[in-house]
Each structure stands twice: as structure tokens, then as C-alpha cells.
Amino acid sequence: MPVLPTVGALVGVARGTFTVGAWPRVAVVPFGGSVAINCSLSACPGGNVTLGLDTPLAVTSGAGGARWQSFRLLNVSRWNPGPATCYGRCGDTQGNASAGILVYRLPERVVLEPVAPVAVGESRNLTCRVVEVAPVGNLTVTLRRGSETLRTESFGGGEGSASVAVSHLLTAGPGDHGQDVTCHAELSLRPHGPLFARAAVPVKLSVFALPEPPQLQAPTLLEVGAAANASCRITGAFPAGDVRFAITLAGQNLNVTVAATGDVLTAVTTLSPASPGRQELVCTAAVATAARTARRQLHVYRFPVPVLELSPAAVPEGTEVTVTCRAGVAEPPAVRLQLRDADGGVLAEGPQSPLELRLVARREDDGQRFGCRASLAIGDDVVTKERDARDCPGNRTWLRGTREALSCRATGNPQPTVVCGRNGVTVGTGEAQLVTRSRAGTYLCNATNALGTRSRLVTVRVECEWCHRLPPRPPRWHRGSGGSWGVAPMGTPLP
């Protein structure tokens, strides 16, 4: 607090006691403003009195009376103008009284500096600046976090206005997240004037933790058009609700679903690549200004199921039959084929497509089955697919008068739905029905899931039991179920 002049009265005696007074004892005025000082005197016998104000400041007279006069100090633009002195004369006796002048300036601004997000355990300076205030010796600045006072600081006196800064080094903990930091500046002019208070706009603390890199789980091999789940998990991230996940495959953003269990966050996405090749799966977990990334290389391949064919479809005994195992277009193209018998024995093998096996049909070969296996080498891994048509054989022979079901089963992921029909009319599958000649013919079976539709033609022949008791004719070969082939007896035409 600046030292203010004391107020005194010089008392003289002229035909009694004569006094001069000044009010207020300390005039409080904003820098550049105006303030009134009242001068008064006691009774003067004889009435020969004068009353005035002595000050280096610009002054003008205001209202007055027989024993008092108001003076206004104008445009007070000096920080230490000295006291203003009221003087009076009664005859030959003179008296005076001084009033102090306290010039102040309210802060232009009270500003809290922004606080960048801070990791748990790290430190940040909280700084409050009070711009152009006077007198600085009357200023008190208080920093708080929530309701807790972190620092209170006062300042030494000095002439004129000045800017000050108050700082506190805060080491962040999880409990500091979301807390408001506030700064209050008080300029106290008591007991001569009021208490002025100013506050900065609060700053909210952002505290975070991202201690561990994410763990990315995904298959290393994935087929074009297939779907597989991938997950990205992170432990100990804080605050959990602010953590952001981004998962990309070959630079394309994927949709993610995030779930929390305790302090573990898991983001799940579905991988369904549309093109083959080596592709990078990237998961990034971010909170505030921190981010951590995990990467995984995926081998995306195209590998259709191989095709198994018998040619010709029907042959007499002793005729040559060609069994063909054919691979579709695969990426990468490193496909190896195997022709196998019903017991899994390898009949032919090689990298070329098609792979052919020529056999001379014998009667004991009737009903023999073949398999076609394709193997695709991808890095250090091998993917294998087989053509096994027993779940949906392409040719069937039913005995008239029995009960048979048209069944056709397909596998896939997602599990496909199979619908069979003939001439555009859907036919029930799986339930045995009476076999009549009307059930003979060619059926179209479609297996459909979210990835598309595949079709297969199924031919049904209907025979009668008494036909087999007729004298046999020379046999001819026919193609059997799912790549099998055998001998079918020829008899009287079906009724």
C-alpha cells in the first residue's frame, strides 16, 4: 500500500479558535478520471475569511457555502500527484488541511494461459497474467484448481501501472482430468475505497494416459470375398471415453465397434478384402495428443474350388475315360493339384492345370469315386480345397415306388441357404417323397450367402424294379454322383 499523506489542520487563533478541514482524507480516483475534494473551515468572528485548494493538478470549483467549498480535480493523469491542500484564512490567522490522492487502474485483462493436454505424471505450468494494473502493491492474485487454492501471491509497491504473472507447476494425476483452473485478481483500495475483483476465463484440464501400444489380432491369411473379424485391444488408457480407434486395411478406413471391460478397450471390425495381394492392417489408438499404432501383414488370396470332370459321361466297358482335375484362376498362382481316389490315395499329382488321368473302364469300377484337391502356397502357409460333390451329387438314380428326398447341401461362411427348383418352380428338399416318373429331370440348386450365389445342376433318373429282371443288354458307362462313374444296366424303357 503506498504511503499516503496525513491529514492535518493548522490552527490559529483570531478572536477565538479557527480550523480548516479536508474531506475525504484520501481521494480515490481512476487514472485519467476526476474526483471531488471538499474544503471547510470553522467559524470566523468578523466574517473576513478566504478558502481555497492548493494542488499541481487541474482543478475547478464546484458548489459551496459560507464555510465550505467543493473542488474537482480534473483528468488525474499523474501516478503520484502528491497531496491536495485545503487552506483558509480568518483575518490574520491561516489554517490548512491535506487530502491524499490514491490513483488506481483496474486490470485491462486477467488471462489464464492455455494448458495443453498433459499425460499422467507429467508437469505443466499454470500461468495467470494480470495486464496493466495499479497500484501493484494493492493487488492479490490467486490460482485455484477446483475449490483448492494452489497459489496466492501479492506484490511489492511501485509507481505506475504494471503487468504481473503468477505461475504454479502442476504434476498431473487422473483426478485432475476435467478440473477447472481459475485465476482471481483482487485490487483492494480499502479502507479508502472499494475492493475490485476480476477473474480470468477458466481453463479445463485435460489429463490422459496411453501407457501400452495396442494389441492387434487378425488372421494372416484371408480369401477374397470371405469375411473375418479383427480386434484391436488396449489396456490402461485414460480417460476411456475419449479414446479413439482407427483401423485401416490397405489404407481404407473400416467401421469399428468399441467395447469396454474394466480398463481394457477393444475395437472390433470385419475384414472383407475385395482384391488379392499383401495388405497391411493398421490399428491406431489415440487420446488427447498421444497415439499408438500396431501393424499386421495380411496375405489376401483368390482361390476357387477346383473342378472335377469325367469325360465322356457314359461309356461302354473297355472304353477310355478321362478324369480331369481343373483349377480356377488363383492369386498367387502357385497351385498344385491332386487326383485322389475314394480312400484318399493319390492317383495323379502336379502343378499343371488341368491335371488329367486316363483310365479304361472296367465293370468292377462301377460306382468308383474320385476327388480333386488343389493346394495353394502362400508364403510359408498352404491352403487346400477339395471338390467333393457327395453333399450335392450331380446325378442320382431313384427306384420308382420308393421314397427319396432331393437333398443338396453347401458349405460356406456365412452358412449358405440352398434352394432347388425345376422349370422355375421351387422344389422342397430334405423330406422324402414318393418316387414317380414325374420326379425325373434336371434341377437347379442355388447356394446363397452374403458373398454371392453358386449354382449346381442335379439330374435325377427314375428306374423301375422289374426293369432289372429283364434279359440284360450290353452295358454302357455313365457318370455317377459327385465325380464318380460306373456301369448302369440298360433295360426296357421306363414306364
Side-chain angles (χ1 to χ4, degrees), residues 406 418-430 433 439 443-444:
L406 179 66
V418 179
V419 176
C420 295
R422 185 175 61 169
N423 300 326
V425 179
T426 300
V427 177
T429 59
Q433 298 180 13
R439 296 186 67 186
Y443 297 80
L444 175 64

Side-chain angles (χ1 to χ4, degrees), residues 272-304:
S272 184
S275 59
R278 190 179 180 90
Q279 300 180 18
E280 186 176 47
L281 182 67
V282 181
C283 173
T284 301
V287 59
T289 59
R292 291 179 179 267
T293 299
R295 302 175 185 272
R296 190 177 181 91
Q297 295 295 321
L298 270 63
H299 293 275
V300 181
Y301 63 92
R302 191 191 307 277
F303 187 29

Side-chain angles (χ1 to χ4, degrees), residues 81-449:
T85 302
C86 293
Y87 62 89
R89 183 182 297 276
C90 176
D92 296 332
T93 305
Q94 181 174 321
N96 57 53
S98 296
I101 302 174
L102 176 58
V103 183
Y104 70 92
R105 170 178 281 171
L106 294 181
E108 290 183 6
R109 296 188 307 277
V110 180
V111 181
L112 266 172
E113 292 186 351
V115 181
V118 54
V120 171
E122 292 185 356
S123 299
R124 288 284 188 277
N125 266 322
L126 309 178
T127 300
C128 179
R129 299 188 182 276
V130 183
V131 180
E132 293 303 322
V133 60
V136 176
N138 293 55
L139 179 68
T140 302
V141 179
T142 302
L143 274 172
R144 293 187 179 91
R145 174 187 52 195
S147 60
E148 178 187 0
T149 298
L150 300 176
R151 186 179 182 88
T152 299
E153 190 166 340
S154 298
F155 305 88
E159 183 174 340
S161 69
S163 297
V164 298
V166 176
S167 294
H168 175 79
L169 187 64
L170 175 71
T171 300
D176 294 322
H177 181 69
Q179 291 276 7
D180 280 335
V181 176
T182 56
C183 176
H184 296 268
E186 293 184 346
L187 183 65
S188 176
L189 305 179
R190 294 171 178 170
H192 310 296
L195 171 69
F196 295 103
R198 294 287 187 273
V201 176
V203 171
K204 193 175 292 293
L205 293 174
S206 175
V207 181
F208 65 91
L210 198 59
E212 301 292 338
Q215 298 177 5
L216 182 57
Q217 296 182 342
T220 56
L221 297 179
L222 192 58
E223 187 172 7
V224 170
N229 286 336
S231 65
C232 184
R233 184 177 65 185
I234 194 163
T235 303
F238 173 86
D242 293 348
V243 177
R244 305 175 305 280
F245 283 93
I247 300 180
T248 63
L249 178 61
Q252 299 296 314
N253 287 321
L254 306 178
N255 294 327
V256 299
T257 301
V258 181
T261 304
D263 66 343
V264 178
L265 294 173
T266 304
V268 178
T269 189
T270 299
L271 307 177
S272 184
S275 59
R278 190 179 180 90
Q279 300 180 18
E280 186 176 47
L281 182 67
V282 181
C283 173
T284 301
V287 59
T289 59
R292 291 179 179 267
T293 299
R295 302 175 185 272
R296 190 177 181 91
Q297 295 295 321
L298 270 63
H299 293 275
V300 181
Y301 63 92
R302 191 191 307 277
F303 187 29
V305 177
V307 177
L308 179 62
E309 297 174 338
L310 296 175
S311 179
V315 295
E317 182 178 7
T319 302
E320 185 177 76
V321 176
T322 301
V323 185
T324 303
C325 178
R326 190 187 312 275
V329 178
E331 295 182 54
V335 177
R336 189 171 184 83
L337 295 171
Q338 283 186 346
L339 267 172
R340 304 163 71 90
D341 60 22
D343 298 324
V346 177
L347 303 175
E349 183 175 19
Q352 74 278 9
S353 178
L355 181 64
E356 294 184 344
L357 176 65
R358 300 182 185 276
L359 300 171
V360 176
R362 301 170 300 173
R363 179 177 294 273
E364 58 267 26
D365 293 326
D366 183 38
Q368 185 178 165
R369 293 184 180 276
F370 296 93
C372 176
R373 172 180 288 183
S375 300
L376 177 65
I378 308 171
D380 296 332
D381 298 300
V382 176
V383 179
T384 300
K385 288 189 176 183
E386 293 190 61
R387 169 62 69 182
D388 185 355
R390 288 177 291 179
D391 288 337
C392 192
N395 295 280
R396 307 183 189 190
T397 301
W398 291 343
L399 190 63
R400 182 181 175 188
T402 61
R403 300 184 70 84
E404 296 284 354
L406 179 66
S407 61
C408 189
R409 189 178 66 184
T411 59
N413 183 22
Q415 179 64 39
T417 301
V418 179
V419 176
C420 295
R422 185 175 61 169
N423 300 326
V425 179
T426 300
V427 177
T429 59
E431 182 177 349
Q433 298 180 13
L434 181 66
V435 176
T436 63
R437 290 185 59 188
S438 63
R439 296 186 67 186
T442 300
Y443 297 80
L444 175 64
C445 293
N446 292 321
T448 304
N449 65 9

Side-chain angles (χ1 to χ4, degrees), residues 1-26:
M1 178 78 75
V3 178
L4 299 175
T6 59
V7 179
L10 194 60
V11 179
V13 177
R15 303 188 188 98
T17 302
F18 172 72
T19 60
V20 175
W23 186 90
R25 297 184 61 188
V26 177

Side-chain angles (χ1 to χ4, degrees), residues 464-480:
C464 59
E465 183 179 5
W466 56 269
C467 295
H468 297 283
R469 296 196 295 269
L470 296 176
R473 294 182 181 183
R476 64 182 179 89
W477 289 89
H478 73 95
R479 183 179 180 182

